[in-house]
Amino acid sequence: MIITISGKPGSGKSTVAELIAKRLSLKHYSIGNFMREIAKEKGISLLELGKIAEKERWVDDELDKRQIELGGREDGFVIDSRLGFHFIPKSVKIFLDVNLDESAKRIFNEKRKDEKDNLSLEKTKENVKKRMKSEMVRYKKYYGLNYYDKKHYDFVVDTSEVSIDKVVGTVVGWLKTKS
């Protein structure tokens, strides 16, 4: 089984994907981690890389290629990727939703070194909005897609006021009804 987990920034995609992979004894991959690696290699923030990706296609081309290859060569894994549903169409597609306030709070509290522009909760909220807008522009331009559109997914969970364990339990419970 291949499970693609998409969602808004701060929705818990990476954590949920990692925990589901452990629970189901599957490999875990994260496109977000790859984006962070690229940003770190370039000495820029994730937000800055997103802005570059709006103008320069090489960032998305690299991410797309990795996902397509992964979906073609492996059968059992979980990947957190905003566009995984698109590049690995044979996957079970999950979307994690979250409200903006909770998203900003989670991202700010993580204090990631690669997100150095998040100096306050209010600034983080502004940056989340900018990031979401940047991704919307990019994905519409490159793929004609709105990844926030729930019609792309098999299952949607709002993580705003739910613990990670509850989200994982809900998704795993739903997946078991599908097998």
Side-chain angles (χ1 to χ4, degrees):
M1 173 187 310
I2 297 174
I3 303 163
T4 52
I5 299 185
S6 185
K8 292 180 181 174
S11 62
K13 289 177 305 301
S14 299
T15 304
V16 169
E18 190 175 341
L19 292 171
I20 288 171
K22 282 182 185 170
R23 268 243 193 115
L24 300 177
S25 300
L26 297 171
K27 290 181 189 173
H28 171 247
Y29 297 98
S30 174
I31 295 304
N33 285 344
F34 184 63
M35 281 285 287
R36 286 180 184 84
E37 287 171 17
I38 293 171
K40 185 177 178 182
E41 288 166 11
K42 301 289 181 190
I44 59 176
S45 72
L46 205 51
L47 187 60
E48 291 167 319
L49 183 62
K51 285 291 182 193
I52 290 169
E54 281 183 35
K55 297 178 180 99
E56 299 177 28
R57 181 85 191 239
W58 67 265
V59 177
D60 287 288
D61 287 345
E62 181 62 31
L63 295 171
D64 303 347
K65 181 178 131 201
R66 287 180 179 229
Q67 290 177 89
I68 292 165
E69 287 174 356
L70 193 59
R73 83 171 174 262
E74 292 188 33
D75 282 327
F77 64 89
V78 179
I79 184 169
D80 58 276
S81 162
R82 285 188 176 72
L83 297 180
F85 73 90
H86 177 71
F87 292 108
I88 309 172
K90 66 181 178 178
S91 65
V92 177
K93 301 158 191 73
I94 312 287
F95 184 85
L96 302 182
D97 205 353
V98 66
N99 68 49
L100 182 60
D101 289 332
E102 184 64 23
S103 168
K105 186 171 91 178
R106 290 175 184 174
I107 291 169
F108 179 73
N109 288 336
E110 281 186 11
K111 308 272 189 229
R112 290 180 179 161
K113 290 177 183 153
D114 60 335
E115 294 188 13
K116 60 187 175 213
D117 299 327
N118 296 329
L119 303 173
S120 68
L121 186 55
E122 200 52 43
K123 184 68 174 166
T124 303
K125 192 172 177 178
E126 288 173 31
N127 288 338
V128 169
K129 285 188 214 176
K130 287 178 188 174
R131 185 171 160 190
M132 289 173 66
K133 183 177 179 186
S134 171
E135 290 169 349
M136 287 282 293
V137 166
R138 212 164 84 226
Y139 301 154
K140 189 72 166 168
K141 177 181 169 184
Y142 293 164
Y143 313 105
L145 287 174
N146 173 359
Y147 88 92
Y148 296 118
D149 189 339
K150 310 288 190 311
K151 74 177 182 185
H152 298 299
Y153 306 97
D154 301 312
F155 193 59
V156 177
V157 179
D158 186 335
T159 69
S160 299
E161 298 185 28
V162 183
S163 73
I164 289 292
D165 289 338
K166 179 82 169 157
V167 173
V168 171
T170 299
V171 173
V172 169
W174 179 81
L175 287 167
K176 287 182 179 176
T177 69
K178 299 312 236 175
S179 5

